[in-house]
Amino acid sequence: MTSGSPSNVLFVVMDTVRKDRLGPYGYERDTTPGLDAFAEEATVFENAVAPAPWTLPVHASMFTGMYPSQHGADQENPYLQGATTLAQSLSADGTRTACYSSNAWITPYTHLTDGFDDQDNFFEVMPGDLLSGPLARMWQVLNDNPRLRQLADMIVSAGNTAHEYLSSGEGADSKTPRVIDRTKSFIEDAEADGEEWFSFINLMDAHLPYHPPEEFREEFAPGVDSTEVCQNSKEFNSGARDIDDDEWDAIKGLYDAEIAHIDSQLTDLFDWLKATDRWEDTAVVICADHGELHGEHGLYGHEFGLYDPLVNVPLMVKHPDIEGGRREDTVELIDLYHTVLDTFGADATPAEPDEEAVAFDNTRSLLSDGYRRFDGVDDADAGQTAAPDGETGFVEYSRPVVELKQLEEKAADSGIELDEDSRFYARMRAARRTDAKYVRIDRIEDEAYRLDEDPAETENVADGDDESIDGTEAELAVFEREVGGAWTGAADGDVTDDAVEDMDEEIQERLQDLGYME
């Protein structure tokens, strides 16, 4: 931490937002006037890499500084366990911390909110308080005891019925204004007590289903009825439903409207910070956890691929120790863990004797002159060992058990049989440099793309003779070795009814909330 380092940090995740739909990244529609202005006083990163293409493992990585295979939070183990979080370290150091979102994954139940002094999930059916403390423990007991699981089933069923209405066009309303208001109150309370603060917010508007407020729908998707377009990605991905160009345009318009609403709410928060003389003393991080596909590569949503619209995410940072402008170098979202620690001059120590805490590493802090100079790092992690020049980001995607189960159901309802030797059943890892990407896939042929020549990833050159591709694959091989070995064979075990039903019922509820299963 430098003498001029800000006292406070606002960390914003725009869930499921593609960078090419934002003004600072060249989008022609005026979706983000607020972020356009913010970018003028921030640093805009062109090559930020998410460690996974969906919420749980990405947030767990940002909160622990670990890659997904290290922290282990994924669909088959939907909890963060045995790892000390960023919030725990900051709170122990005396910083007031808060987490506000409307994302069903970010709750005390998954342990992503461990260490935050205050948190609220603002969820439609099950409020955050229900998922914390004694009630969360009670819920786990219900689901871990077969005799009590029927009661849990009844609770989930009632919740799903309510959610089906509340997330529809008739009942949907954004929780983002409440997240913003709660953030303001937290900041006022922290400063009244003379404390520095760290506020983390996740804004869910751009996640399916898309039901934007009317004023934004009328501007970006005029005449579109959000209840008439395809809002279930599994229907399209399974082949059960076609989407023509006009419907894709309508879907993209609704998505743009959701992003515009996020922008308006962030502008309100930024204007308030400026009006109350807090802006200059606040570092601001804005990113997406992952993006979205709207028909590219024959996919809808953010499953079954590691294409750039999913993992090359927007990242903008306002910090006096980071020179403004636009940067082309590789950044990994796990680096933000170290950047926040650095801003507060804090380090990480295990919160419990049996937990692992990733210590501050200046080569992963955006504030450091030695940023991503990994050659010679003591106790290097898998990414640092694989790419000591710091020019490569790594992505992991374990088998998508729940999406696959719903996909199979949608296909079966339409008389379609899915090929088990397809991307739907696959695990994937990728190494991404600014010029090249290599994706290892365990059930189908690997994929590789020269991003500098083919940014849309239309020509798979994995079997070609290309020095950049070969080098990227070599780095991926080292990364795989460091995290326990490559996923080179098909995953054992079928995705059966029992495979999904054996999941904790609360996790099934969370997955239904986000549209991953029904």
Side-chain angles (χ1 to χ4, degrees), residues 68-336:
S69 57
Q70 294 174 282
H71 59 64
D74 60 27
Q75 287 190 4
E76 296 179 273
N77 180 56
Y79 309 95
L80 178 62
Q81 297 173 307
T84 295
T85 67
L86 175 62
Q88 287 174 308
S89 296
L90 294 179
S91 294
D93 194 57
T95 300
R96 181 85 72 90
T97 59
C99 175
Y100 305 121
S101 80
S102 56
N103 190 308
W105 285 112
I106 306 173
T107 71
Y109 189 78
T110 60
H111 298 292
L112 285 185
T113 59
D114 284 2
F116 285 102
D117 298 314
D118 191 32
Q119 71 85 30
D120 202 317
N121 185 248
F122 296 101
F123 196 71
E124 291 127 344
V125 176
M126 290 187 174
D129 289 345
L130 182 62
L131 302 176
S132 61
L135 286 175
R137 290 191 291 274
M138 180 194 74
W139 189 257
Q140 285 183 285
V141 169
L142 282 176
N143 289 283
D144 292 340
N145 186 323
R147 295 182 179 181
L148 297 176
R149 188 165 287 193
Q150 185 175 2
L151 174 58
D153 289 342
M154 295 171 63
I155 295 172
V156 170
S157 178
N160 289 340
T161 300
H163 177 74
E164 185 176 353
Y165 169 75
L166 289 167
S167 64
S168 72
E170 297 297 322
D173 70 293
S174 170
K175 300 298 177 286
T176 294
R178 292 169 59 192
V179 170
I180 299 300
D181 288 344
R182 187 69 174 271
T183 301
K184 293 177 183 177
S185 296
F186 162 76
I187 292 170
E188 289 177 330
D189 291 345
E191 294 194 355
D193 293 335
E195 294 179 301
E196 297 179 348
W197 52 264
F198 170 70
S199 179
F200 179 90
I201 60 176
N202 174 292
L203 307 180
M204 277 287 289
D205 302 68
H207 193 292
L208 280 167
Y210 310 140
H211 299 296
E214 182 177 0
E215 65 177 293
F216 298 98
R217 178 176 57 80
E218 286 302 315
E219 180 176 357
F220 293 97
V224 174
D225 183 345
S226 63
T227 66
E228 295 297 322
V229 301
C230 181
Q231 297 272 15
N232 188 315
S233 61
K234 312 308 180 298
E235 292 181 351
F236 174 79
N237 292 334
S238 68
R241 175 169 177 169
D242 291 328
I243 300 177
D244 62 22
D245 290 345
D246 289 341
E247 187 173 6
W248 278 125
D249 288 343
I251 291 168
K252 294 173 184 177
L254 293 170
Y255 181 75
D256 286 349
E258 295 282 24
I259 292 173
H261 181 234
I262 291 174
D263 183 80
S264 72
Q265 292 296 308
L266 286 177
T267 299
D268 174 74
L269 178 58
F270 295 166
D271 287 347
W272 177 81
L273 289 169
K274 294 171 184 177
T276 57
D277 295 325
R278 294 179 169 98
W279 185 249
E280 294 302 323
D281 203 26
T282 301
V284 181
V285 177
I286 302 175
C287 68
D289 53 348
H290 57 81
E292 191 82 325
L293 292 171
H294 291 131
E296 300 93 339
H297 308 285
L299 295 171
Y300 184 14
H302 47 272
E303 303 96 20
F304 312 123
L306 297 181
Y307 298 106
D308 259 18
L310 300 180
V311 300
N312 177 206
V313 295
L315 172 64
M316 293 172 277
V317 181
K318 179 185 81 74
H319 194 295
D321 292 341
I322 305 176
E323 186 176 353
R326 193 168 295 270
R327 284 174 48 170
E328 301 285 343
D329 53 316
T330 293
V331 176
E332 292 183 279
L333 291 190
I334 63 172
D335 299 344
L336 300 177

Side-chain angles (χ1 to χ4, degrees), residues 397-510:
Y397 186 35
S398 61
R399 189 170 60 153
V401 172
V402 178
E403 288 99 331
L404 180 54
K405 180 59 185 171
Q406 187 186 0
L407 197 78
E408 289 176 333
E409 292 171 350
K410 294 295 183 185
D413 289 345
S414 298
I416 299 169
E417 184 175 351
L418 298 177
D419 183 358
E420 291 190 5
D421 290 324
S422 69
R423 67 174 55 256
F424 301 131
Y425 292 81
R427 297 171 295 176
M428 307 178 188
R429 284 196 177 110
R432 184 194 186 277
R433 301 173 71 88
T434 59
D435 64 337
K437 178 197 287 183
Y438 197 95
V439 186
R440 187 97 65 210
I441 311 175
D442 69 358
R443 283 181 180 261
I444 61 175
E445 295 297 317
D446 292 351
E447 296 179 358
Y449 302 97
R450 279 300 301 261
L451 299 177
D452 53 348
E453 302 170 357
D454 179 26
E457 299 167 292
T458 60
E459 183 181 359
N460 182 3
V461 293
D463 293 331
D465 182 15
D466 185 285
E467 184 176 349
S468 292
I469 295 296
D470 292 344
T472 306
E473 181 187 9
E475 291 175 331
L476 179 58
V478 175
F479 179 86
E480 291 170 319
R481 181 196 70 202
E482 292 295 307
V483 297
W487 289 329
T488 55
D492 293 333
D494 295 329
V495 180
T496 64
D497 287 342
D498 289 341
V500 175
E501 289 171 3
D502 284 345
M503 287 185 171
D504 191 293
E505 296 291 343
E506 167 61 15
I507 292 306
Q508 292 189 51
E509 165 78 7
R510 302 300 87 189

Side-chain angles (χ1 to χ4, degrees), residues 31-45:
T31 53
T32 57
L35 289 179
D36 294 351
F38 174 80
E40 292 297 319
E41 53 182 316
T43 308
V44 179
F45 295 89

